Amino acid sequence: MREFDKLKHSLNYYKDELFKINGTHFTLDSIITTRSKEMIEAKRVAAKAAECLTNVLIIGESGTGKELFAHAIHNASSRSREPFIKVNCAAIPSELAESEFFGYAPGAFTGAARQGKPGKFELANGGTIFLDEIGDMPLLLQSKLLRVIQDREIEVVGGTKPIQIDVRIIAATNRDLKMLVKQKLFREDLFYRLNVICLPLAPLRNRKEDIELLVNSFLSKYNRALNKEFKGITPDVLEAFRNYSWPGNVRELENAIERAVSLGNNAWLTWADFSNIFEQERIGIVNSTNNSASLAQSNLDKTLLKGNLQQQETELIRWALTECTGNRVKAAKLLGISRSSFYEKLKKHDILNPSSALTRM
Ligand SMILES: Nc1ncnc2c1ncn2[C@@H]1O[C@H](COP(=O)(O)OP(=O)(O)OP(=O)(O)O)[C@@H](O)[C@H]1O
Ligand SMILES: [Mg+2]
Protein backbone atom coordinates (compact mmCIF):
# COMPACT_ATOMS: atom_id res chain seq x y z
CA MET A 1 0.00 0.00 0.00
CA ARG A 2 2.86 2.35 0.84
CA GLU A 3 4.47 1.69 -2.54
CA PHE A 4 1.13 2.51 -4.11
CA ASP A 5 0.88 5.81 -2.24
CA LYS A 6 4.42 6.71 -3.25
CA LEU A 7 3.63 6.00 -6.88
CA LYS A 8 0.44 8.01 -6.68
CA HIS A 9 2.36 10.85 -5.10
CA SER A 10 4.96 10.92 -7.86
CA LEU A 11 2.27 10.64 -10.51
CA ASN A 12 0.60 13.76 -9.09
CA TYR A 13 3.96 15.49 -8.99
CA TYR A 14 4.55 14.79 -12.68
CA LYS A 15 1.02 15.88 -13.52
CA ASP A 16 1.68 19.20 -11.80
CA GLU A 17 4.96 19.58 -13.68
CA LEU A 18 3.15 18.79 -16.92
CA PHE A 19 0.52 21.40 -16.08
CA LYS A 20 3.29 23.97 -15.73
CA ILE A 21 4.91 23.14 -19.04
CA ASN A 22 2.00 22.24 -21.29
CA GLY A 23 1.48 25.93 -21.92
CA THR A 24 -2.19 26.19 -21.02
CA HIS A 25 -1.66 29.26 -18.90
CA PHE A 26 -5.01 30.84 -19.80
CA THR A 27 -8.05 30.35 -17.59
CA LEU A 28 -11.57 31.74 -17.83
CA ASP A 29 -10.30 34.65 -15.74
CA SER A 30 -7.68 35.48 -18.39
CA ILE A 31 -10.51 36.36 -20.75
CA ILE A 32 -10.83 40.05 -20.09
CA THR A 33 -14.19 41.16 -18.76
CA THR A 34 -16.41 42.09 -21.60
CA ARG A 35 -19.44 44.28 -22.17
CA SER A 36 -20.33 42.63 -25.45
CA LYS A 37 -23.44 40.44 -25.32
CA GLU A 38 -21.90 37.84 -27.64
CA MET A 39 -18.74 37.56 -25.58
CA ILE A 40 -20.61 37.35 -22.26
CA GLU A 41 -22.57 34.49 -23.80
CA ALA A 42 -19.36 32.89 -25.14
CA LYS A 43 -17.82 32.94 -21.64
CA ARG A 44 -20.99 31.46 -20.15
CA VAL A 45 -21.05 28.66 -22.73
CA ALA A 46 -17.31 28.00 -22.24
CA ALA A 47 -17.81 27.61 -18.48
CA LYS A 48 -20.68 25.19 -19.08
CA ALA A 49 -18.74 23.27 -21.74
CA ALA A 50 -15.89 22.78 -19.26
CA GLU A 51 -18.22 20.81 -16.99
CA CYS A 52 -18.94 18.15 -19.60
CA LEU A 53 -16.83 16.35 -22.15
CA THR A 54 -18.79 17.32 -25.22
CA ASN A 55 -16.90 18.36 -28.35
CA VAL A 56 -16.55 22.10 -28.81
CA LEU A 57 -16.10 24.05 -32.03
CA ILE A 58 -14.68 27.56 -31.68
CA ILE A 59 -15.16 29.85 -34.66
CA GLY A 60 -13.66 33.29 -35.08
CA GLU A 61 -11.32 35.46 -37.10
CA SER A 62 -7.61 35.44 -36.44
CA GLY A 63 -6.71 36.96 -33.06
CA THR A 64 -10.20 36.78 -31.52
CA GLY A 65 -9.07 34.43 -28.74
CA LYS A 66 -9.84 30.91 -30.02
CA GLU A 67 -6.79 29.35 -28.42
CA LEU A 68 -7.34 31.37 -25.26
CA PHE A 69 -10.85 29.90 -24.97
CA ALA A 70 -9.59 26.37 -25.69
CA HIS A 71 -7.03 26.65 -22.86
CA ALA A 72 -9.63 28.15 -20.56
CA ILE A 73 -12.10 25.31 -21.17
CA HIS A 74 -9.41 22.71 -20.53
CA ASN A 75 -8.22 24.42 -17.37
CA ALA A 76 -11.73 24.81 -15.99
CA SER A 77 -12.49 21.14 -16.63
CA SER A 78 -11.86 18.12 -14.45
CA ARG A 79 -9.02 17.29 -16.90
CA SER A 80 -6.95 20.38 -16.12
CA ARG A 81 -4.10 18.27 -14.70
CA GLU A 82 -4.08 15.99 -17.75
CA PRO A 83 -2.35 16.77 -21.07
CA PHE A 84 -3.51 19.51 -23.42
CA ILE A 85 -2.19 18.72 -26.89
CA LYS A 86 -2.46 21.24 -29.67
CA VAL A 87 -2.31 20.17 -33.30
CA ASN A 88 -2.19 22.69 -36.09
CA CYS A 89 -4.11 20.87 -38.82
CA ALA A 90 -2.97 23.35 -41.47
CA ALA A 91 0.72 22.87 -40.73
CA ILE A 92 0.96 19.07 -41.07
CA PRO A 93 1.76 17.84 -44.60
CA SER A 94 -1.03 15.46 -45.62
CA GLU A 95 1.36 12.55 -46.23
CA LEU A 96 2.56 12.80 -42.59
CA ALA A 97 -0.81 13.63 -41.07
CA GLU A 98 -1.90 10.10 -40.32
CA SER A 99 1.26 9.16 -38.42
CA GLU A 100 1.24 12.54 -36.61
CA PHE A 101 -2.32 12.00 -35.44
CA PHE A 102 -2.30 8.29 -34.74
CA GLY A 103 1.39 7.46 -34.33
CA TYR A 104 3.24 4.55 -35.88
CA ALA A 105 4.41 1.16 -34.74
CA PRO A 106 8.12 0.17 -34.62
CA GLY A 107 9.45 -0.33 -38.15
CA ALA A 108 6.13 0.75 -39.71
CA PHE A 109 7.85 2.27 -42.73
CA THR A 110 11.34 3.06 -44.00
CA GLY A 111 12.82 5.98 -42.12
CA ALA A 112 10.47 5.57 -39.13
CA ALA A 113 12.00 5.67 -35.64
CA ARG A 114 12.93 2.18 -34.50
CA GLN A 115 10.86 2.34 -31.33
CA GLY A 116 7.79 3.78 -33.09
CA LYS A 117 6.14 7.07 -32.14
CA PRO A 118 2.94 7.88 -30.28
CA GLY A 119 0.47 10.05 -32.15
CA LYS A 120 -1.16 13.23 -30.84
CA PHE A 121 -4.33 11.39 -29.83
CA GLU A 122 -2.38 8.94 -27.70
CA LEU A 123 -0.41 11.80 -26.12
CA ALA A 124 -3.66 13.56 -25.29
CA ASN A 125 -5.23 10.46 -23.77
CA GLY A 126 -7.13 11.37 -20.61
CA GLY A 127 -6.89 15.07 -21.48
CA THR A 128 -7.81 17.41 -24.32
CA ILE A 129 -6.76 17.58 -27.95
CA PHE A 130 -7.03 21.00 -29.55
CA LEU A 131 -7.45 20.68 -33.31
CA ASP A 132 -6.54 24.14 -34.52
CA GLU A 133 -7.32 25.27 -38.09
CA ILE A 134 -9.65 22.29 -38.50
CA GLY A 135 -11.04 23.78 -41.73
CA ASP A 136 -7.71 23.00 -43.40
CA MET A 137 -7.70 19.31 -42.55
CA PRO A 138 -7.29 17.06 -45.63
CA LEU A 139 -10.47 15.14 -46.56
CA LEU A 140 -8.85 11.73 -46.11
CA LEU A 141 -7.89 12.59 -42.56
CA GLN A 142 -11.35 13.97 -41.87
CA SER A 143 -12.87 10.52 -42.38
CA LYS A 144 -10.28 9.00 -40.03
CA LEU A 145 -11.02 11.65 -37.42
CA LEU A 146 -14.72 10.90 -37.75
CA ARG A 147 -13.98 7.28 -36.98
CA VAL A 148 -11.98 8.23 -33.87
CA ILE A 149 -14.85 10.36 -32.61
CA GLN A 150 -17.42 7.63 -33.26
CA ASP A 151 -15.49 4.60 -32.06
CA ARG A 152 -13.27 6.27 -29.46
CA GLU A 153 -10.31 4.25 -30.68
CA ILE A 154 -7.33 4.81 -32.94
CA GLU A 155 -5.37 2.62 -35.29
CA VAL A 156 -1.64 3.18 -35.10
CA VAL A 157 0.05 3.15 -38.53
CA GLY A 158 1.56 -0.33 -38.95
CA GLY A 159 0.01 -1.41 -35.65
CA THR A 160 -1.87 -4.64 -35.09
CA LYS A 161 -4.80 -3.71 -32.88
CA PRO A 162 -6.75 -0.51 -32.16
CA ILE A 163 -6.04 1.50 -28.99
CA GLN A 164 -8.89 2.81 -26.84
CA ILE A 165 -8.67 6.53 -26.23
CA ASP A 166 -10.50 8.95 -23.98
CA VAL A 167 -9.94 12.44 -25.34
CA ARG A 168 -11.99 15.62 -25.21
CA ILE A 169 -11.90 17.36 -28.60
CA ILE A 170 -11.86 21.11 -29.01
CA ALA A 171 -11.60 22.27 -32.63
CA ALA A 172 -11.12 25.80 -33.92
CA THR A 173 -11.17 27.53 -37.27
CA ASN A 174 -11.32 30.96 -38.84
CA ARG A 175 -12.92 29.52 -41.98
CA ASP A 176 -16.59 29.25 -42.81
CA LEU A 177 -17.11 25.52 -42.21
CA LYS A 178 -20.70 25.55 -43.46
CA MET A 179 -19.47 26.98 -46.75
CA LEU A 180 -16.71 24.36 -46.91
CA VAL A 181 -19.37 21.69 -46.35
CA LYS A 182 -21.39 23.11 -49.27
CA GLN A 183 -18.27 23.06 -51.43
CA LYS A 184 -17.67 19.44 -50.38
CA LEU A 185 -14.32 20.38 -48.86
CA PHE A 186 -15.41 19.50 -45.35
CA ARG A 187 -17.39 16.41 -44.37
CA GLU A 188 -20.88 17.27 -43.22
CA ASP A 189 -21.04 14.38 -40.72
CA LEU A 190 -17.75 15.51 -39.14
CA PHE A 191 -19.01 19.07 -38.97
CA TYR A 192 -22.05 17.97 -36.95
CA ARG A 193 -19.93 15.77 -34.67
CA LEU A 194 -17.59 18.65 -33.84
CA ASN A 195 -20.23 21.35 -33.71
CA VAL A 196 -22.04 19.96 -30.66
CA ILE A 197 -21.24 23.07 -28.66
CA CYS A 198 -20.42 26.02 -30.87
CA LEU A 199 -18.54 29.06 -29.60
CA PRO A 200 -18.58 31.94 -32.08
CA LEU A 201 -16.13 34.70 -31.10
CA ALA A 202 -17.01 38.18 -32.32
CA PRO A 203 -14.44 40.25 -34.23
CA LEU A 204 -13.21 43.29 -32.32
CA ARG A 205 -14.74 45.79 -34.76
CA ASN A 206 -18.17 44.42 -33.77
CA ARG A 207 -17.58 44.90 -30.05
CA LYS A 208 -16.33 48.43 -29.80
CA GLU A 209 -17.74 48.59 -26.27
CA ASP A 210 -14.85 46.34 -25.18
CA ILE A 211 -12.02 48.42 -26.59
CA GLU A 212 -11.51 50.63 -23.56
CA LEU A 213 -11.58 47.64 -21.19
CA LEU A 214 -9.04 45.77 -23.29
CA VAL A 215 -6.80 48.82 -23.63
CA ASN A 216 -6.77 49.41 -19.87
CA SER A 217 -6.14 45.80 -19.12
CA PHE A 218 -3.24 45.48 -21.61
CA LEU A 219 -1.86 48.79 -20.43
CA SER A 220 -1.60 47.60 -16.84
CA LYS A 221 -0.22 44.24 -18.03
CA TYR A 222 2.60 45.89 -20.00
CA ASN A 223 3.18 48.66 -17.45
CA ARG A 224 3.82 45.89 -14.95
CA ALA A 225 5.86 43.72 -17.30
CA LEU A 226 8.02 46.55 -18.63
CA ASN A 227 8.18 48.52 -15.41
CA LYS A 228 6.48 51.62 -16.84
CA GLU A 229 3.84 53.97 -15.48
CA PHE A 230 1.73 55.12 -18.41
CA LYS A 231 -1.52 56.66 -17.23
CA GLY A 232 -3.61 55.81 -20.27
CA ILE A 233 -4.22 56.60 -23.90
CA THR A 234 -5.47 60.01 -24.99
CA PRO A 235 -9.21 60.35 -25.81
CA ASP A 236 -8.58 60.98 -29.53
CA VAL A 237 -6.63 57.72 -29.82
CA LEU A 238 -9.39 55.86 -28.00
CA GLU A 239 -11.93 57.31 -30.42
CA ALA A 240 -9.73 56.32 -33.39
CA PHE A 241 -9.41 52.83 -31.91
CA ARG A 242 -13.20 52.56 -31.82
CA ASN A 243 -13.35 53.45 -35.51
CA TYR A 244 -10.47 51.28 -36.65
CA SER A 245 -11.27 47.94 -38.31
CA TRP A 246 -8.76 45.80 -36.31
CA PRO A 247 -8.09 43.12 -38.93
CA GLY A 248 -5.83 41.36 -36.40
CA ASN A 249 -8.46 41.68 -33.63
CA VAL A 250 -7.42 41.46 -29.95
CA ARG A 251 -3.91 40.23 -30.85
CA GLU A 252 -3.33 43.38 -32.92
CA LEU A 253 -4.62 45.62 -30.14
CA GLU A 254 -2.44 43.88 -27.54
CA ASN A 255 0.64 44.20 -29.79
CA ALA A 256 -0.10 47.88 -30.39
CA ILE A 257 -0.26 48.57 -26.66
CA GLU A 258 2.87 46.54 -25.96
CA ARG A 259 4.78 48.43 -28.65
CA ALA A 260 3.55 51.82 -27.45
CA VAL A 261 4.42 51.02 -23.82
CA SER A 262 7.91 49.91 -24.87
CA LEU A 263 8.63 52.96 -27.01
CA GLY A 264 6.48 55.78 -25.55
CA ASN A 265 8.08 58.70 -23.74
CA ASN A 266 5.32 60.70 -22.11
CA ALA A 267 2.91 60.06 -19.29
CA TRP A 268 0.07 59.37 -21.74
CA LEU A 269 0.17 57.32 -24.92
CA THR A 270 -0.72 59.63 -27.78
CA TRP A 271 -1.49 59.51 -31.49
CA ALA A 272 2.24 59.46 -32.28
CA ASP A 273 2.72 56.22 -30.32
CA PHE A 274 0.25 54.40 -32.58
CA SER A 275 1.15 56.02 -35.89
CA ASN A 276 2.17 52.62 -37.33
CA ILE A 277 -1.41 51.30 -37.07
CA PHE A 278 -3.07 54.30 -38.63
CA GLU A 279 -0.39 54.46 -41.32
CA GLN A 280 -1.22 50.85 -42.27
CA GLU A 281 -4.93 51.65 -42.40
CA ARG A 282 -4.22 54.63 -44.66
CA ILE A 283 -2.08 52.48 -46.98
CA GLY A 284 -4.92 49.95 -47.01
CA ILE A 285 -7.35 52.65 -48.19
CA VAL A 286 -4.98 53.79 -50.94
CA ASN A 287 -4.28 50.25 -52.15
CA SER A 288 -7.92 49.35 -52.38
CA THR A 289 -8.68 52.28 -54.68
CA ASN A 290 -8.09 50.89 -58.11
CA ASN A 291 -11.11 52.17 -60.01
CA SER A 292 -12.61 55.60 -60.46
CA ALA A 293 -15.71 54.94 -58.34
CA SER A 294 -13.63 53.83 -55.40
CA LEU A 295 -11.22 56.67 -56.04
CA ALA A 296 -14.07 59.15 -55.74
CA GLN A 297 -15.21 57.39 -52.58
CA SER A 298 -11.67 57.49 -51.28
CA ASN A 299 -11.38 61.24 -51.91
CA LEU A 300 -14.63 61.69 -50.06
CA ASP A 301 -13.28 59.52 -47.23
CA LYS A 302 -10.13 61.58 -47.14
CA THR A 303 -12.08 64.84 -46.94
CA LEU A 304 -14.18 63.41 -44.13
CA LEU A 305 -11.08 62.05 -42.47
CA LYS A 306 -9.37 65.42 -42.70
CA GLY A 307 -12.35 67.19 -41.11
CA ASN A 308 -12.54 64.52 -38.48
CA LEU A 309 -8.84 64.75 -37.70
CA GLN A 310 -9.01 68.56 -37.40
CA GLN A 311 -11.80 68.24 -34.91
CA GLN A 312 -10.01 65.53 -32.99
CA GLU A 313 -6.85 67.60 -32.88
CA THR A 314 -8.76 70.55 -31.42
CA GLU A 315 -10.33 68.33 -28.80
CA LEU A 316 -6.98 66.79 -27.99
CA ILE A 317 -5.32 70.15 -27.46
CA ARG A 318 -8.15 71.30 -25.23
CA TRP A 319 -7.92 68.07 -23.27
CA ALA A 320 -4.14 68.39 -22.83
CA LEU A 321 -4.48 71.99 -21.64
CA THR A 322 -7.12 71.04 -19.12
CA GLU A 323 -5.05 68.09 -17.99
CA CYS A 324 -2.06 70.40 -17.41
CA THR A 325 -4.19 73.17 -15.90
CA GLY A 326 -3.36 75.47 -18.81
CA ASN A 327 0.40 75.04 -18.73
CA ARG A 328 1.36 74.98 -22.42
CA VAL A 329 4.86 73.59 -21.95
CA LYS A 330 3.48 70.66 -20.01
CA ALA A 331 0.62 70.21 -22.47
CA ALA A 332 3.05 70.08 -25.42
CA LYS A 333 5.12 67.51 -23.55
CA LEU A 334 2.04 65.47 -22.72
CA LEU A 335 1.17 65.33 -26.41
CA GLY A 336 4.72 64.45 -27.35
CA ILE A 337 5.18 67.44 -29.67
CA SER A 338 7.58 70.38 -29.61
CA ARG A 339 6.62 73.66 -27.96
CA SER A 340 6.73 75.51 -31.28
CA SER A 341 4.43 73.10 -33.09
CA PHE A 342 2.08 73.22 -30.10
CA TYR A 343 1.92 77.01 -30.47
CA GLU A 344 1.30 76.65 -34.19
CA LYS A 345 -1.59 74.32 -33.52
CA LEU A 346 -3.06 76.68 -30.92
CA LYS A 347 -2.99 79.39 -33.53
CA LYS A 348 -4.32 77.18 -36.32
CA HIS A 349 -7.30 76.06 -34.28
CA ASP A 350 -7.72 79.43 -32.66
CA ILE A 351 -7.97 77.70 -29.34
CA LEU A 352 -6.72 80.26 -26.88
CA ASN A 353 -6.30 83.95 -26.93
CA PRO A 354 -3.55 85.27 -24.63
CA SER A 355 -6.03 86.64 -22.15
CA SER A 356 -7.72 83.30 -21.58
CA ALA A 357 -7.89 82.14 -18.00
CA LEU A 358 -6.14 78.93 -18.98
CA THR A 359 -3.00 80.68 -20.22
CA ARG A 360 -0.23 80.56 -17.68
CA MET A 361 2.94 81.16 -19.59
N1 LIG B 1 -10.83 38.28 -24.62
C1 LIG B 1 -9.51 38.34 -24.47
N2 LIG B 1 -8.97 38.70 -23.30
C2 LIG B 1 -7.63 38.77 -23.16
N3 LIG B 1 -6.74 38.49 -24.11
C3 LIG B 1 -7.22 38.13 -25.29
C4 LIG B 1 -8.63 38.03 -25.54
N4 LIG B 1 -8.81 37.61 -26.81
C5 LIG B 1 -7.57 37.47 -27.33
N5 LIG B 1 -6.61 37.77 -26.42
C6 LIG B 1 -5.17 37.78 -26.65
O1 LIG B 1 -4.96 37.91 -28.04
C7 LIG B 1 -3.95 37.04 -28.50
C8 LIG B 1 -4.49 36.15 -29.59
O2 LIG B 1 -5.39 35.19 -29.04
P1 LIG B 1 -5.49 33.71 -29.60
O3 LIG B 1 -4.12 33.17 -29.92
O4 LIG B 1 -6.33 32.94 -28.67
O5 LIG B 1 -6.26 34.01 -30.98
P2 LIG B 1 -6.75 33.00 -32.11
O6 LIG B 1 -8.19 33.27 -32.35
O7 LIG B 1 -6.35 31.61 -31.76
O8 LIG B 1 -5.91 33.52 -33.38
P3 LIG B 1 -5.38 32.72 -34.67
O9 LIG B 1 -6.60 32.36 -35.50
O10 LIG B 1 -4.53 33.73 -35.38
O11 LIG B 1 -4.62 31.54 -34.20
C9 LIG B 1 -3.43 36.28 -27.29
O12 LIG B 1 -2.24 36.91 -26.86
C10 LIG B 1 -4.52 36.44 -26.26
O13 LIG B 1 -3.97 36.52 -24.99
MG1 LIG C 1 -5.02 30.27 -32.71
Side-chain angles (χ1 to χ4, degrees):
M1 193 62 193
R2 262 188 148 180
E3 262 319 283
F4 178 74
D5 282 346
K6 252 204 230 156
L7 276 174
K8 212 166 131 191
H9 187 74
S10 43
L11 179 67
N12 284 337
Y13 170 78
Y14 285 117
K15 280 186 177 173
D16 282 349
E17 287 301 294
L18 180 73
F19 180 68
K20 281 184 221 151
I21 60 170
N22 72 7
T24 56
H25 40 278
F26 296 123
T27 63
L28 280 169
D29 292 332
S30 323
I31 302 167
I32 293 170
T33 322
T34 171
R35 290 192 185 124
S36 127
K37 263 196 238 131
E38 289 104 315
M39 292 302 284
I40 292 171
E41 178 61 8
K43 272 181 92 165
R44 190 192 68 80
V45 173
K48 278 274 164 213
E51 289 170 12
C52 52
L53 287 178
T54 318
N55 297 340
V56 179
L57 178 64
I58 308 175
I59 302 173
E61 287 178 16
S62 178
T64 45
K66 297 185 292 296
E67 184 158 350
L68 176 86
F69 268 84
H71 286 194
I73 293 171
H74 173 77
N75 283 333
S77 76
S78 57
R79 304 188 158 214
S80 61
R81 288 286 191 263
E82 305 297 334
F84 175 95
I85 302 289
K86 173 184 163 176
V87 193
N88 186 338
C89 302
I92 303 178
S94 50
E95 60 280 11
L96 291 183
E98 198 176 348
S99 60
E100 275 294 310
F101 275 95
F102 308 120
Y104 54 81
F109 48 87
T110 353
R114 211 178 310 136
Q115 65 278 33
K117 192 179 159 213
K120 303 286 186 193
F121 273 94
E122 210 176 329
L123 292 173
N125 214 354
T128 304
I129 193 163
F130 175 44
L131 301 174
D132 204 6
E133 320 263 8
I134 188 87
D136 297 280
M137 185 179 250
L139 267 171
L140 179 70
L141 205 63
Q142 289 178 25
S143 42
K144 301 206 172 197
L145 175 63
L146 185 67
R147 232 176 322 131
V148 176
I149 299 178
Q150 279 167 352
D151 305 342
R152 297 273 151 196
E153 58 181 32
I154 52 164
E155 275 172 40
V156 173
V157 178
T160 45
K161 53 177 193 290
I163 301 176
Q164 291 292 320
I165 50 137
D166 160 30
V167 174
R168 133 77 74 100
I169 298 174
I170 303 180
T173 185
N174 54 17
R175 302 188 62 183
D176 182 347
L177 279 193
K178 277 190 191 149
M179 182 59 84
L180 292 180
V181 168
K182 270 196 201 133
Q183 295 168 340
K184 305 246 175 292
L185 294 170
F186 201 85
R187 289 186 63 124
E188 192 173 11
D189 39 12
L190 179 60
F191 171 69
Y192 287 118
R193 285 279 178 177
L194 294 172
N195 194 33
V196 183
I197 295 179
C198 183
L199 265 184
L201 302 183
L204 193 52
R205 66 183 164 281
N206 292 354
R207 47 188 187 109
K208 296 181 193 296
E209 62 273 42
D210 280 354
I211 289 187
E212 193 170 357
L213 290 172
L214 289 163
V215 164
N216 290 338
S217 167
F218 291 137
L219 193 65
S220 24
K221 175 176 168 184
Y222 289 104
N223 264 342
R224 232 176 304 126
L226 303 169
N227 208 12
K228 302 279 178 96
E229 287 178 345
F230 287 101
K231 293 195 175 119
I233 63 171
T234 53
D236 63 320
V237 175
L238 187 61
E239 191 48 34
F241 274 11
R242 289 201 189 101
N243 295 324
Y244 179 58
S245 59
W246 297 109
N249 292 295
V250 185
R251 179 186 290 115
E252 186 183 2
L253 175 62
E254 181 169 359
N255 290 348
I257 301 287
E258 183 182 1
R259 179 182 181 278
V261 170
S262 316
L263 303 178
N265 286 319
N266 305 298
W268 291 76
L269 295 173
T270 67
W271 195 257
D273 297 304
F274 298 99
S275 53
N276 61 325
I277 294 185
F278 301 115
E279 181 63 15
Q280 278 165 24
E281 177 96 325
R282 199 182 61 75
I283 291 167
I285 292 173
V286 174
N287 284 345
S288 67
T289 57
N290 46 10
N291 62 43
S292 53
S294 57
L295 197 64
Q297 181 61 44
S298 153
N299 285 337
L300 184 65
D301 285 349
K302 279 182 198 155
T303 316
L304 289 174
L305 186 68
K306 212 168 155 196
N308 207 0
L309 285 179
Q310 301 276 352
Q311 199 198 334
Q312 285 188 0
E313 197 173 73
T314 314
E315 279 168 20
L316 183 63
I317 291 170
R318 286 186 195 285
W319 166 81
L321 282 166
T322 317
E323 199 63 30
C324 303
T325 52
N327 185 321
R328 295 180 191 183
V329 176
K330 283 190 184 161
K333 213 168 156 203
L334 175 63
L335 295 173
I337 57 177
S338 69
R339 214 190 300 184
S340 56
S341 59
F342 187 72
Y343 284 138
E344 267 170 34
K345 286 183 193 300
L346 285 181
K347 221 162 131 195
K348 183 172 108 193
H349 297 287
D350 195 20
I351 290 183
L352 290 176
N353 61 55
S355 58
S356 162
L358 274 175
T359 316
R360 283 234 191 123
M361 290 165 42

